[in-house]
């Protein structure tokens, strides 16, 4: 089927109308207003965070965080769930973040325990 011939003017008006419709459609689907939280975010519980006597801002939610292990340099992921546990259950300081992978954290804990033991022995001698 052949479309009937159109004048240049008609053509331009059609194009303009199409653009107008497209702009309207785009405006109708603007993203939701801020704050936009990622779909995998884990909700923070402000009551559990109250122990943090800070003037800084408390988190509204947690999202997985990528970091590099301070000791071995491996790429690690501190998950939103682990963060929630750390801040709200273990009552970790609100300004602290994960810096070591699991293996290096274990090694560091053992090293500290050993240093403490040696220190204690020195005091008792
Ligand atoms: Zn490591």
């Amino acid at each position: 089927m052949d479309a009937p011939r159109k004048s240049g003017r008609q053509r331009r008006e059609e194009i303009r109308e199409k653009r107008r419709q497209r702009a309207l459609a785009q405006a109708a689907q603007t993203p939701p207003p801020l704050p936009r939280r990622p779909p995998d975010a884990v909700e923070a519980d402000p009551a559990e965070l109250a122990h943090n006597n800070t003037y800084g801002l408390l988190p509204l939610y947690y999202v997985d965080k990528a970091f590099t292990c301070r000791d071995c340099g491996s790429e690690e992921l501190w998950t939103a769930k682990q963060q929630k546990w750390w801040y709200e259950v273990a009552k970790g300081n609100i300004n602290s973040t994960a810096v070591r992978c699991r293996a290096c954290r274990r090694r560091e804990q053992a090293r500290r325990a050993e240093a403490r033991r040696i220190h204690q022995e020195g005091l008792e001698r």
Side-chain angles (χ1 to χ4, degrees):
M1 262 209 324
D2 272 3
R5 278 197 102 107
K6 289 169 186 164
S7 71
R9 194 182 149 184
Q10 259 181 325
R11 210 53 212 123
R12 278 196 297 277
E13 271 173 14
E14 271 183 22
I15 289 169
R16 196 172 303 145
E17 178 59 17
K18 247 181 220 163
R19 280 196 188 144
R20 203 176 68 85
Q21 290 299 334
R22 203 183 307 148
L24 282 174
Q26 245 164 27
Q29 44 174 257
T30 44
L34 290 171
R36 264 174 294 174
R37 64 188 59 189
D40 58 346
V42 172
E43 216 65 27
D45 184 347
E48 291 301 328
L49 286 166
H51 69 287
N52 287 296
N53 191 10
T54 176
Y55 292 102
L57 295 172
L58 295 172
L60 292 171
Y61 54 84
Y62 310 103
V63 288
D64 293 355
K65 251 186 220 168
F67 71 99
T68 310
C69 175
R70 178 185 281 175
D71 291 352
C72 71
S74 83
E75 286 180 16
E76 299 293 324
L77 192 68
W78 196 27
T79 66
K81 262 188 169 173
Q82 288 171 332
Q83 292 168 47
K84 187 176 173 67
W85 179 86
W86 171 246
Y87 294 125
E88 299 181 12
V89 181
K91 307 293 183 193
N93 187 286
I94 201 65
N95 298 312
S96 63
T97 62
V99 292
R100 289 184 178 89
C101 71
R102 186 178 287 262
C104 289
R105 199 164 59 235
R106 288 262 163 78
R107 205 173 304 134
E108 175 65 10
Q109 278 168 355
R111 191 193 64 74
R112 275 207 209 140
E114 178 66 5
R116 209 161 29 236
R117 193 183 63 75
I118 290 168
H119 178 70
Q120 269 303 321
E121 274 181 11
L123 291 181
E124 285 160 9
R125 202 164 286 150

